Every structure is written in C-alpha cells, then in structure tokens.
Amino acid sequence: MSNEIEVKKLCELSKLEIPDEMILETSNKIREVMSLFHKLDELDISSADDTDSYGGLRIEKSLDSLRGDVPRRSFSVTDSVAKLKLLNTRNGFVLGPRI
Amino acid sequence: MFKENLKIGLEIHCQLTNLNTKLFCNCLSNYRNSLPNDNTCPICLGLPGTLPLLNKRAVDFASMVCIALNCKIPEKISFYRKNYFYPDLPKNFQITQYNSYEISSIGYEGHFSIDDDSGAFTQMANSKPSKSQIRISRIQLEEDPGKIVYEDEKTSANTYSLIDYNRAGVALIEIVTEPDFSSSHDVRIFLNDLINIFEYLGVCDPSLEGSIRCDVNVSLRGGKKVEIKNISSFKDVEKSINYEVTRQRTMIMHDMEVQAETRHWDEKRKITISSRSKEEEEEYRYFPEPDIPVILLGGQSFVSSIRSQMHELPNERLQRYKEQMGLSTHTANILANSKKISDYFEESLKHYNSPIEISNWIVNELLSKINEMEKSDASKGVVIDLAAKMSPAMIANMAKLVSEKGLNRNMAREIFAKSFQSGEDPYYIVKSMNVEKISDSEEILSLITETLEIQPTLIDQSKTNPNVVNFILGLIMKKTRGRTNPQLAIKLIQDVLSSKKN
Amino acid sequence: MTNLLELPAHVVIGKIKGNDLKAVEYVSVLIQRIKDIDYKINSFISTNFENAIKQAKIVDKKIQSGESVGMLAGIPIGIKDNISVKGLRNTCASQMLRDYESPYNATVVTNIEFQDGIVMGKTNMDEFGMGNTSEYSSFGPVKNPWNSEYVAGGSSGGSAAAVSSLQVPLALGSDTGGSIRCPSSFCSVVGLKPSYGRVSRSGLISYSNSLEQIGPVARNITDLALLFNTIEGTDAFDNTTACSHKKSVINSLDQITSKGYQIGIFSNLTENSDIQVQSKLMEMIKVFERHQFVLENIDLRLKEFAVAAYYIIATAEASSNLSRFDNVRYGYPSNPEGFEWNRYYEKSRSLFGDEVKRRILLGSFVLSAGYFGKYYAKAQAFRNMLRTEFERLFKKYDVLILPTMPILPIKLGEKISNPVQLYNFDLFTILANLTGLPAITLPAGFSDTGLPIGIQIMANSFEEQKLFDLAVLFEDESKFTERTPTI
C-alpha cells in the first residue's frame, strides 16, 4: 500500500518535498506504522454506542453558549495590524508566491 | 424542439453581510471599507494556537434561510474541515459542513417552487402556466477565504501575489440544489427569488459586490456533468449556462464525448474555460472539526423561535396581497417581488388603508416615473429611492384625494406629476389649485340647465341614444375643468333628462 | 542559596507575601541557576530574564504598597514552547517557526500573569509535540537531569527537566498522548494531564486537538494544585472548554483516609512493564493499603487497539493542523517572489523535521478518500468503546493505577530510528487522551541504576480532586520531593 509512488502522491497532497534519496526510507517507515494501524482491522465496532458519530468523544454544547455577534478586536492585539508582524508585506498586502 | 434533457444544478455562496462579525472571530463582517489586512486578527489569520469561536447569530441567520427554502433543520449541527492548500486560505483548510458521514449541515432536504408563468413562451406546446419544484439538497455554513490581488491583470505575468485577508472568515452560506432546473430561464427566476428572500430576511445585501457567487453544473441528454465555477454576477449565470449548453450541444452533434470536468467562467470573454487538475480537488480529506463542539439547536422549539423572529417572506406577502387585500396577481407580484417596494406599500397603508387604490398609484404611476428617471441620461445607473422621491404619506394622500374627494383621474395624474416633480404633498397642491370637486347638487343642476338651454336638441336625442348622458357630462367637465363630481353629475343629468321626456 | 532553589513554590510565595523574601531576589537566583546549568540539560529554547526581573519588581512593589497579590506571586514558570506568550518566540522546537513571535497570550499565560506568576522562558520539546523522548527537537535533545546520557522523556521534556533540576519550581507542558506524564515520570516530578475541556487550549499550538490538554508540572503536589487552579476553567476563547468545576484542594491526611477510596489496579497492563517499574507500583499499593483503601486487580479490555487508534487520530489531526505552516503569513524569513505557489509551499515546508513529515504523510493517508471509514472513523468508534469500558470501571472504582511508562528512561539515540517501537511505549499514557480522562504521574522511586520511575493514577472526568487526594497520601509516605539530581 505505501509504495514509493503512493508516498509521492501523499507528498503532493501534503505539500511536502521528500528528497529522492529519502523516499525509500520514508516509505519503509510509513509502511511500518501502517502495519501498526492494521491492528484496527481486528476490532469489531458493532457494539460501539455511537458509530454514526465520527468525532470520537465529541463535546456537545447548546447554541446559547456561543458568542454574540459583537465586533471587537480579538486578544491583546489592540492597535494596528503591524503588531501581528506579518512576514512579507507590500502596501499592506501579504506578499505571496506566484499563482 | 427535441428533448435535450437539460439538467442544471446550482451551488450558491452567499455572504451573511448583515452580521456584525465574522463567522469565527470578532472582526468586522463588513470588510469592504478596510485597508488591506486591517480587518484581521489572530483567529482569522489562522495564527498558531487560535481556535474558531462560532458566531451564534450566523447560525440564526442561516436557519432563517433554511426555513425560507423549506429545509429540514437537524437537532444538532457540526463542522468539518475541508483540507486543501491555497494562498488565500489562512489555515490551509476551510471550516465548513459536510453531510457524507452524518447530517452536519444547518439545513437539508428542502424545496422551493418557482413560477414558470413569465417563461411560458419557451414552452409553447403546453402553454399552461406551471410551477417547477426545485429540490435543495443542503444549506451549509462556512467561512470565506481571503482575496488574492494581482498587480498585472494577466495572472501569469505576475511573479508574486498580493493577499488581503480582510474577507477571510466572513460567514457564508452555501445553498446546493439538486439538478432540477431545465432551463437557464428557470435559473434566473430562482436566483431572483432567492435574492428577494435574502433581502426580506435581512441576512444579506445582494447589492454588495461579491456578496453572492454561483457555481453551476450542467448536463445534457444524460451526459457527464460539467461544473462552471467562478461566476460572480447573477447576470452571467444565465449567459454561462447558455454558452455551456451550446458548447455541449455542438460537441454532441460532432459525436464528441463531453468530459466530466470543472470549467471556469471568463468574465471578460463570456466563455467557459477548462481548468486543470480535477483529481486533486477531489481529495479534500474531510474530517470533523475538533475545535468546535457539536451544537445542539433545540429541535422544534428552536425552529419556532427562529420562525417568530423572521420577517414575512415574499410568497407570504404575495398571498396576503392577493387574498386579503384583493390585489391582482400582476400588482401583487410587482409589489412583493421587491422588499423595498412592498415595504413602501406597507408604510403607505399605515397612512391610508386603501390597498387597491394605493397599489395602483405605486405600480402604475410611481414606478413608471421612477423607471423613466432611471433610464434617463441624467441619472444613469443611479438607483432612485422611492421614499425619497415621494413619501409613503404622500402617495397615501394621493389615493385619499381620489377616493374620498372624487378627484378625477386626469386631474389626479396632473397633481401626481406636480407632486413628483416638486416633492410637494398632493393634498396642498389640490388646495392651492382650488380643484376640489363640485359636489353641490344645486350648482350642478344649474350647470345642466345651462347646457340644455344652449343645446336643446340633446333632450330629444337622449330618448334614443344613451350616450348623450356622457356627452353632457363631458361638456360640464370641460366647463369646470374636471372639478365636477362625476357620479353625482350623472345621476342629476339622468334625473333632468327623464323629467323632460314626459 | 541551594536551599532557596529547593524550596517548594508555595513556601516561597508565603515568604514573598510575608515580605521575608523579595520576588526579584528569588527570580535572580533562579536566573543564575539556569545560566549555570542549563547548557548541560538544554531545557530552555528561549528565556525571558529581563522581563522576569521587571515583573518580579512589580510584584515586590505591590507587596510594599500593601496591594493584594495573586496566588503565584513572584513564582517563575517555564512555559512549553508550543504555548503562546505575547512577544516571545514560539518555535514548537521547529525550524519552521524558529523566528515566529506570538502577538497574543495563551489563556493559561494570561491566567498565570493575572495571579502574578512570571514567565521565565520557553521550554524545549519534541518538534510540535511529536515524540516521547524530546530528541526530535531542532534545538537539540533535552538531557535527563538524573543522568545526562538518558532522555528526559517527551514531548514536554524541557518542562519536566527544568523543574526537576531546580531551574524553575513550576512549568507548563502539554499532553497529547503522555507528553506531560512521560517526561515527568522520567525526571521524577509530578505531572498532570487534566480532563479534556478543563483547561483552555487557546494559544496552544495544536498537534491533535481532540486529544490534548495543557497541564502543570511541579516537584510536589501542593505546588501542582496551585498552578492547576490557576490555569483551569471555562474560557471564552476555547469553545471546547467545559463548564466550571470546583477548585482542587489539598486535603488533610485524615480527611483523605476517611473517604475510603476504591482502587483498581490494571494488572494486565502492569505485567507488561519493566520488572523494576512493577515493583515500584507494588510499593505504592502498599501505601494505599495501609490507609485501608480497597484495592483490586482488574483487566483493561480493548488495550490492544489503543496505540493504533491513537496514532491514526493524532496523525490525521496533525496533518491538517500543520497545513497552516506555509511561510506566507508568518514563519522564518524568506521571499516567495518568483516561486510558483505549490513549489514555494513544498520548499518552505521542507523545514519540518523527518518525524513531523512522516506523521503529516500518515495523517494525509488515513484521511484520504476511501480510507476514512477504515481508519479514522473506526479509530473514533474505538474511542467511544474505550470510554465505555472506563465508565464501567469507574462505576466500581474511584481511581485506577497503572505505570506511567512501561520502561525505564532510555539512552539518548537508542531508539530514535525506530518510531514504531517508540509509539508502543505510549500505551499507558494514551488511554487518558483517547478517553479524555484526567491522569497524574507521581515519582515512585528509582531503578537500581538511579533512573526515575513514575506511577500513574487515573480518575473519571473532572474528578482531579481524587488524584490530588491520593497524591497527597503517597507524597507524605514516600517523600518523593526530597531527592534532587546532582547536575
């Protein structure tokens, strides 16, 4: 399952670059972990209470517990955006790569 | 025309512009007046360690739209992460809702009827006016990404991008329909209805640029589905569908297979263009957002409490206008199809409760005057505010003058025009023109006698020609510049003539 | 001098409040300690000395002028470097964030400052919390204060080592799968993983959101309670925090004994531990027996699936959480101009360490189309089953005892190339994270080679008080606070 090609596809999906000389080692290690994951194949989940809930132990809260729609500068960032120390900016815009 | 089996589905993104704050932080929902990146905070910039804080009112607003589109609202809602990288996406995932594993979205399985009436010409064969039912598969709450700005208009000419995150995190609802539209015309009607609903509910101002965006999917003759993305104006939605239908039709004619693909709408050239890599887009690796709890809405009591906060909907108003006020379908439609106009109408009724008279003045006189103005060169492109041109109280007075003071139509139109021009209340115009009706029987009788003395032959003619009554009325009207109360005059003329017959 | 270093924080606070000791004096002594020894341990990534002195002077001034001071008055605290402190670098021990300075405070830091606690510096860790040895730090491994050839445990190795080596009396760590308890156990300090939702995560750089909590590390149970009471509680900045619960208290021995706790011992887990770990656990049991508590051996069902489920969820959430590090808005100096964006992302993200990259790839895999049900959904279903299993046990028992780690601290570099083996060492600690339950690790003694051993106690959600009660009893008998390492 996790042959080299698959690792390359995962890299693309995760925007990670693994150097060619590392691909084999990476896929071997990933394969080892995958075999650990396969233990779950033996688990019978038919007795699970809440199989339709995919969030695990999801916390439930009432709608009323949510914040009101009141404008406010969040956290202690009070004055200017300069405080956020954005990495590369030009005329207030964030400088990003070519699209 | 042979059956093409055209199927169109829509995905409409609508910003909840009437919220004060973004979906997950306290930054302003109105990002449109801010300097670049000034309307941001650690949360909407996705700074490490920040957590989304869901806006309760966004849930309320979205629920209203769900109710208006007859969607089911689940007991609980949850959020999912849609994982993909893009420089306008601060966290490189979007918090949205997703129904593949459970019902997570605020609304599902809705439906909405659109009127095919005005489109009857497209279906000559069965010209019976009909309603089409459009199924709504879901309505979900999600966050808007930021905006990428290009210095050079030609995207590929730029060696870098400029990103403004002011919009990032603004609350959106995405409305997804089933492929139930069979013509671009139906799509237009639906979108107009939808805009109207947004305005009625006060959740979104459709006039704001970029507040509503639409993706379309089109398939022909049971063929593959083609998605058109990036249509930012509703006018272009119809155009893009027509373009796509023609394109697919041509392909089929030439025995070429239509590919399932995503195409982008080129606003400038008005064509759809194939966009790359479909397979990558599909791999969104959705999973439940662990930082937002499952929200318990409260079932039926929640729905009724939202319902009670909701403004009357367009179709409800239409019903009321027709059934309770007795307006014609045509008039009722014109009023209800615009919240502004129907609110104006409602306001006028508070001054003088005569729906038929007032609605006629609005629809036949006021709106056509406004229309003329909007088309004139002087105010091209300017949207004229009804109430600023003529207050609801003034139009109510207009109606009152006609139905209570017996002002005749021609005179009333003249007064209306003056009032529209000058902004003066019709009531005072009438006063100053001394055009109040002559409703005194003695005075009218003497006018009749005077007339018959000048043209005595009329008495004889009246015995054979019933139109003589109206002719005499005309003469009296002319003499009094239309000020004579016509109902009273006709009765008196008939009395006088019948007394002479013997 | 040495005496001052060894004093428990609650005693120091008493002295400072009573004007017997100046906060600035105490802070200065600790700063000197860090300067003197931390090069041997590597527990701090960055320090905040200048500011700490300033803060200490403010505390002193308040006391001079008779103003009231908070419950952590003048106490320097180490903060794990994945918890945001305004104006300080926040690296997560990663080159990706080596220059990132947080513009805001984590809620726990705001709370500490509100109680007049002082941020002393940011502590070393496994990169983004991914590890249990603190060797996967791009700022070098943390060394065990008891023997510098051994690992300090991870991922909050810097916090545990700094507290253990008397550089700070208190520290914050974060615990995703044992990251507070493992290093606390390896360094012979007390560490608490609170119930899920008890402490705000706002400002904690997420590794696996649904598993992790911030928690305190201390040398004694009273100090631990002070820091825990400071940081816990509902927070408007974290929608996953629970409603308020009673503050924890240090009860008297008599009060505790009279509660007659029912204790379960996970014998089927203990069996699989190092023999020396087992014998320390037996010693702890004897202490509780002397207090007439009921102790019974029990088996935990389903244990064989825990490690798989844990790593599936942790890697899945991590792969998404770490997506935001693309070096566009923040990160390390670099110029994106001229790069095609996909290329830029691949290039900028190459600064993640190998273990982090592997976990991102694994996470992307388990979430990808067609595998969601097989891995992620099943792992989540398992969490519910495991939680049900624990609820069954808590019907009968107040607390459950098991080793913190199945092994003694390992040598630096010994296992670094064998991730799966390292993952399996987490079995005892991840149980609390998978279920959201609170768990504490207590220093239980030393191996024959002088390496620390910790024993873990678990309780039902929001019943941290029971953990404190048992810890008080055990601390009183075992005197685990009295030994300190020689550096």
Side-chain angles (χ1 to χ4, degrees):
Chain A
M1 103 190 11
S2 90
N3 52 29
E4 287 174 37
I5 305 216
E6 185 123 23
V7 167
K8 279 194 172 147
K9 197 201 145 211
L10 288 175
C11 283
E12 221 172 277
L13 211 53
S14 316
K15 299 279 178 276
L16 287 175
E17 191 180 52
I18 306 269
D20 284 347
E21 65 270 21
M22 287 289 291
I23 289 278
L24 188 65
E25 195 200 321
T26 305
S27 58
N28 283 343
K29 279 196 170 148
I30 284 183
R31 204 191 337 251
E32 266 178 64
V33 181
M34 292 307 307
S35 61
L36 176 78
F37 289 179
H38 282 154
K39 184 74 195 168
L40 270 198
D41 292 345
E42 299 162 27
L43 174 70
D44 174 13
I45 55 169
S46 55
S47 69
D49 294 348
D50 199 8
T51 38
D52 64 332
S53 154
Y54 291 98
L57 305 165
R58 285 207 275 182
I59 294 171
E60 295 188 340
K61 285 212 170 166
S62 76
L63 186 61
D64 292 327
S65 71
L66 301 178
R67 76 177 170 91
D69 187 26
V70 186
R72 170 163 53 86
R73 283 283 191 183
S74 301
F75 297 98
S76 43
V77 187
T78 43
D79 12 36
S80 71
V81 74
K83 284 256 165 109
L84 292 170
K85 294 192 178 163
L86 293 172
L87 203 52
N88 298 300
T89 56
R90 197 164 288 182
N91 305 324
F93 290 97
V94 170
L95 187 70
R98 180 162 60 84
I99 305 297
Chain B
M1 192 184 285
F2 62 92
K3 207 159 168 123
E4 286 208 296
N5 198 16
L6 173 58
K7 284 185 177 173
I8 306 165
L10 302 178
E11 283 176 26
I12 301 139
H13 288 90
C14 160
Q15 291 178 338
L16 300 176
T17 58
N18 294 17
L19 289 175
N20 297 320
T21 65
K22 293 182 178 181
L23 186 54
F24 297 123
C25 67
N26 295 86
C27 285
L28 296 182
S29 172
N30 176 14
Y31 59 89
R32 290 176 170 83
N33 304 320
S34 298
L35 293 171
N37 292 309
D38 209 29
N39 186 39
T40 57
C41 74
I43 295 178
C44 57
L45 279 174
L47 289 197
T50 56
L51 304 170
L53 306 171
L54 183 58
N55 183 341
K56 176 187 180 299
R57 199 144 157 264
V59 178
D60 292 347
F61 276 17
S63 308
M64 289 181 185
V65 178
C66 293
I67 292 171
L69 297 182
N70 304 299
C71 286
K72 292 179 188 165
I73 294 178
E75 291 274 330
K76 10 178 148 167
I77 55 166
S78 56
F79 288 83
Y80 274 69
R81 287 188 187 176
K82 180 180 183 177
N83 292 289
Y84 67 97
F85 287 85
Y86 207 65
D88 63 5
L89 206 55
K91 302 182 290 293
N92 285 315
F93 60 78
Q94 181 196 31
I95 302 178
T96 179
Q97 300 188 301
Y98 187 60
N99 286 0
S100 282
Y101 307 124
E102 59 179 334
I103 298 294
S104 102
S105 69
I106 181 77
Y108 65 105
E109 290 175 13
H111 56 87
F112 189 74
S113 300
I114 52 166
D115 249 323
D116 274 346
D117 295 17
S118 44
F121 66 93
T122 59
Q123 29 177 306
M124 293 298 201
N126 55 338
S127 61
K128 188 184 81 194
S130 64
K131 283 195 175 270
S132 295
Q133 176 104 318
I134 305 301
R135 287 169 300 158
I136 311 290
S137 35
R138 63 178 186 275
I139 298 181
Q140 61 197 43
L141 255 177
E142 58 187 33
E143 53 180 343
D144 216 352
K147 251 184 178 168
I148 300 178
V149 178
Y150 305 97
E151 282 191 341
D152 197 312
E153 253 187 48
K154 195 159 176 278
T155 317
S156 58
N158 293 283
T159 58
Y160 56 87
S161 56
L162 295 174
I163 316 166
D164 179 4
Y165 293 102
N166 282 343
R167 191 179 72 177
V170 164
L172 287 180
I173 47 171
E174 181 178 346
I175 301 170
V176 182
T177 79
E178 298 287 340
D180 287 349
F181 297 93
S182 51
S183 72
S184 59
H185 174 262
D186 281 2
V187 169
R188 193 184 64 198
I189 293 174
F190 177 78
L191 292 178
N192 285 340
D193 284 351
L194 202 59
I195 285 184
N196 204 20
I197 288 172
F198 291 152
E199 278 186 309
Y200 267 71
L201 295 176
V203 297
C204 166
D205 180 352
S207 69
L208 293 173
E209 196 241 315
S211 63
I212 304 184
R213 282 107 66 182
C214 196
D215 295 346
V216 177
N217 56 71
V218 178
S219 74
L220 214 58
R221 293 194 216 166
K224 298 255 172 62
K225 200 166 84 174
V226 174
E227 274 188 86
I228 317 168
K229 289 201 184 264
N230 200 30
I231 316 170
S232 56
S233 109
F234 270 19
K235 282 184 199 136
D236 279 6
V237 170
E238 212 176 349
K239 283 184 195 150
S240 70
I241 294 170
N242 292 340
Y243 176 87
E244 190 54 29
V245 169
T246 312
R247 189 187 70 87
Q248 292 187 25
R249 201 182 279 153
T250 313
M251 286 184 76
I252 295 168
M253 254 159 52
H254 290 88
D255 282 334
M256 288 156 78
E257 202 190 332
V258 175
Q259 301 292 321
E261 61 174 344
T262 301
R263 300 177 69 85
H264 278 249
W265 175 244
D266 186 322
E267 265 182 38
K268 298 213 176 68
R269 292 192 285 165
K270 306 288 180 203
I271 58 172
T272 64
I273 303 164
S274 181
S275 51
R276 319 141 283 142
S277 63
K278 175 88 179 164
E279 63 285 349
E280 197 182 318
E281 284 172 29
E282 295 302 311
E283 196 62 280
Y284 288 131
R285 289 158 291 147
Y286 286 98
F287 74 102
E289 167 56 80
D291 291 331
I292 303 177
V294 171
I295 306 297
L296 303 171
L297 296 180
Q300 201 45 53
S301 70
F302 167 73
V303 175
S304 12
S305 111
I306 293 290
R307 195 87 188 68
S308 70
Q309 297 164 44
M310 273 167 68
H311 191 280
E312 188 181 29
L313 289 165
N315 57 351
E316 292 166 344
R317 261 200 181 165
L318 188 73
Q319 264 341 76
R320 185 160 61 84
Y321 288 174
K322 290 202 289 194
E323 283 164 19
Q324 290 178 26
M325 297 182 177
L327 306 192
S328 71
T329 306
H330 174 76
T331 306
N333 259 324
I334 291 179
L335 294 176
N337 275 346
S338 155
K339 178 165 188 284
K340 259 187 215 142
I341 297 171
S342 77
D343 280 352
Y344 178 87
F345 171 61
E346 301 274 332
E347 191 58 34
S348 314
L349 290 180
K350 287 182 192 159
H351 297 278
Y352 183 57
N353 192 10
S354 174
I356 296 185
E357 190 63 37
I358 289 185
S359 65
N360 284 337
W361 278 103
I362 294 174
V363 171
N364 300 331
E365 304 297 329
L366 183 59
L367 290 179
S368 58
K369 280 258 190 296
I370 297 261
N371 242 329
E372 267 168 45
M373 271 185 82
E374 283 180 341
K375 275 185 197 145
S376 76
D377 286 344
S379 51
K380 206 155 221 164
V382 179
V383 178
I384 295 157
D385 183 15
L386 290 183
K389 233 16 240 179
M390 194 170 217
S391 73
M394 278 155 71
I395 204 104
N397 276 342
M398 205 63 240
K400 196 173 184 176
L401 284 170
V402 172
S403 38
E404 286 186 5
K405 303 275 182 187
L407 198 65
N408 87 25
R409 290 270 163 210
N410 286 335
M411 184 56 73
R413 277 205 192 92
E414 208 176 296
I415 288 164
F416 175 82
K418 278 198 175 138
S419 171
F420 188 80
Q421 199 71 40
S422 64
E424 206 182 336
D425 193 311
Y427 184 75
Y428 294 107
I429 296 176
V430 169
K431 273 253 172 260
S432 68
M433 281 168 70
N434 188 24
V435 289
E436 269 189 68
K437 281 284 175 215
I438 299 163
S439 298
D440 180 49
S441 301
E442 292 296 311
E443 202 179 337
I444 296 172
L445 273 175
S446 75
L447 282 165
I448 296 168
T449 317
E450 207 178 298
T451 310
L452 290 178
E453 274 166 13
I454 299 167
Q455 300 189 52
T457 53
L458 287 173
I459 299 168
D460 268 358
Q461 288 173 24
S462 73
K463 288 171 185 161
T464 51
N465 186 353
N467 285 333
V468 169
V469 175
N470 284 328
F471 182 73
I472 297 172
L473 178 65
L475 291 173
I476 292 171
M477 282 296 184
K478 204 171 171 189
K479 206 165 196 173
T480 59
R481 291 191 12 242
R483 286 163 58 222
T484 311
N485 182 333
Q487 286 87 19
L488 185 58
I490 286 172
K491 192 183 166 291
L492 292 171
I493 294 166
Q494 281 166 345
D495 287 353
V496 172
L497 286 175
S498 65
S499 71
K500 304 269 178 188
K501 274 180 204 169
N502 307 324
Chain C
M1 200 69 129
T2 319
N3 188 27
L4 203 52
L5 289 175
E6 286 178 6
L7 277 185
H10 62 275
V11 175
V12 173
I13 294 164
K15 282 178 181 290
I16 290 175
K17 283 185 173 174
N19 222 350
D20 285 349
L21 173 68
K22 288 252 185 305
V24 72
E25 223 174 290
Y26 180 61
V27 171
S28 305
V29 167
L30 289 178
I31 288 174
Q32 197 52 50
R33 171 76 175 174
I34 294 170
K35 285 179 176 167
D36 288 347
I37 67 152
D38 197 46
Y39 71 94
K40 295 181 192 166
I41 295 169
N42 199 23
S43 54
F44 282 94
I45 288 178
S46 56
T47 53
N48 188 35
F49 293 158
E50 222 174 288
N51 224 347
I53 293 282
K54 245 187 246 168
Q55 293 303 312
K57 282 180 179 161
I58 291 170
V59 171
D60 286 336
K61 209 179 238 171
K62 278 190 189 172
I63 289 165
Q64 294 302 314
S65 60
E67 264 179 77
S68 70
V69 287
M71 62 179 174
L72 289 175
I75 298 300
I77 296 165
I79 310 285
K80 190 178 180 180
D81 207 16
N82 60 353
I83 299 170
S84 307
V85 179
K86 189 179 175 180
L88 294 190
R89 277 198 306 156
N90 199 342
T91 70
C92 290
S94 178
Q95 288 302 304
M96 278 305 292
L97 290 177
R98 66 186 181 213
D99 297 303
Y100 168 68
E101 222 175 70
S102 175
Y104 73 98
N105 270 334
T107 297
V108 290
V109 172
T110 306
N111 291 345
I112 284 173
E113 291 183 344
F114 181 74
Q115 294 295 342
D116 291 308
I118 293 168
V119 174
M120 191 66 139
K122 305 295 293 289
T123 58
N124 203 352
M125 57 188 281
D126 285 297
E127 186 176 357
F128 287 103
M130 298 178 181
N132 50 16
T133 63
S134 291
E135 291 170 287
Y136 295 129
S137 162
S138 77
F139 296 87
V142 183
K143 289 168 189 160
N144 194 311
W146 299 89
N147 185 333
S148 61
E149 284 174 27
Y150 286 77
V151 302
S155 67
S156 313
S159 290
V163 170
S164 150
S165 58
L166 314 180
Q167 302 186 62
V168 277
L170 289 170
L172 287 184
S174 68
D175 192 313
T176 311
S179 283
I180 289 173
R181 289 160 289 156
C182 162
S184 294
S185 156
F186 281 4
C187 294
S188 192
V189 291
V190 197
L192 172 70
K193 198 286 290 186
S195 308
Y196 190 82
R198 183 114 198 211
V199 178
S200 169
R201 290 182 294 112
S202 175
L204 169 67
I205 298 184
S206 300
Y207 156 25
S208 182
N209 330 46
S210 74
L211 296 166
E212 63 206 6
Q213 280 283 289
I214 294 173
V217 176
R219 285 194 298 271
N220 64 75
I221 195 66
T222 314
D223 289 0
L224 191 86
L226 268 179
L227 186 51
F228 177 59
N229 284 337
T230 299
I231 61 171
E232 66 96 38
T234 316
D235 180 25
F237 288 116
D238 179 357
N239 280 342
T240 66
T241 49
C243 55
S244 320
H245 289 83
K246 265 194 196 156
K247 292 284 174 193
S248 301
V249 290
I250 299 300
N251 287 314
S252 71
L253 299 178
D254 287 348
Q255 278 170 326
I256 297 165
T257 307
S258 72
K259 288 186 182 175
Y261 286 130
Q262 310 270 315
I263 302 172
I265 302 146
F266 278 132
S267 45
N268 66 334
L269 297 176
T270 309
E271 283 165 7
N272 294 321
S273 315
D274 186 290
I275 190 78
Q276 298 200 62
V277 174
Q278 290 188 42
S279 79
K280 293 299 165 196
L281 189 129
M282 292 320 289
E283 286 174 24
M284 180 186 273
I285 289 168
K286 281 189 194 116
V287 172
F288 295 137
E289 275 171 346
R290 279 200 290 280
H291 287 274
Q292 317 292 314
F293 289 164
V294 177
L295 288 110
E296 282 174 9
N297 284 324
I298 49 166
D299 279 355
L300 178 70
R301 299 179 200 154
L302 299 167
K303 68 177 170 68
E304 61 274 28
F305 305 109
V307 174
Y310 171 80
Y311 275 96
I312 287 168
I313 289 160
T315 56
E317 291 182 5
S319 73
S320 172
N321 287 328
L322 270 57
S323 291
R324 73 185 67 196
F325 304 113
D326 55 21
N327 223 48
V328 171
R329 293 155 298 279
Y330 49 83
Y332 57 90
S334 74
N335 186 358
E337 228 178 305
F339 285 99
E340 191 275 328
W341 74 272
N342 286 287
R343 280 292 305 140
Y344 180 72
Y345 281 20
E346 282 167 9
K347 187 186 142 299
S348 64
R349 287 164 63 79
S350 66
L351 263 66
F352 283 128
D354 291 340
E355 175 66 12
V356 173
K357 283 181 187 163
R358 280 196 293 272
R359 292 199 193 190
I360 291 174
L361 295 176
L362 281 161
S364 287
F365 177 77
V366 297
L367 286 178
S368 56
Y371 293 109
F372 182 89
K374 181 175 163 65
Y375 296 109
Y376 187 82
K378 203 162 184 189
Q380 292 290 19
F382 170 76
R383 290 180 76 174
N384 285 319
M385 292 166 74
L386 188 65
R387 173 79 190 205
T388 308
E389 166 70 357
F390 271 94
E391 269 158 17
R392 176 181 73 90
L393 297 170
F394 283 124
K395 280 199 186 113
K396 183 149 189 223
Y397 305 101
D398 294 290
V399 295
L400 304 167
I401 295 181
L402 68 166
T404 307
M405 296 299 288
I407 51 159
L408 298 176
I410 54 176
K411 277 197 163 164
L412 283 159
E414 194 181 326
K415 299 277 188 221
I416 195 156
S417 57
N418 196 339
V420 171
Q421 206 174 350
L422 284 173
Y423 293 178
N424 280 316
F425 293 151
D426 293 336
L427 174 63
F428 301 163
T429 48
I430 59 180
L431 298 171
N433 304 86
L434 285 167
T435 52
L437 299 169
I440 197 168
T441 177
L442 304 175
F446 293 83
S447 70
D448 48 19
T449 51
L451 293 167
I453 292 167
I455 302 298
Q456 198 181 187
I457 311 176
M458 296 175 73
N460 209 342
S461 275
F462 307 110
E463 291 189 347
E464 278 86 350
Q465 184 59 52
K466 289 180 179 171
L467 302 181
F468 281 102
D469 284 349
L470 288 176
V472 167
L473 287 190
F474 185 65
E475 180 181 48
D476 179 68
E477 297 241 356
S478 71
K479 307 286 180 222
F480 58 64
T481 54
E482 284 179 3
R483 246 177 100 169
T484 53
T486 33
I487 311 295

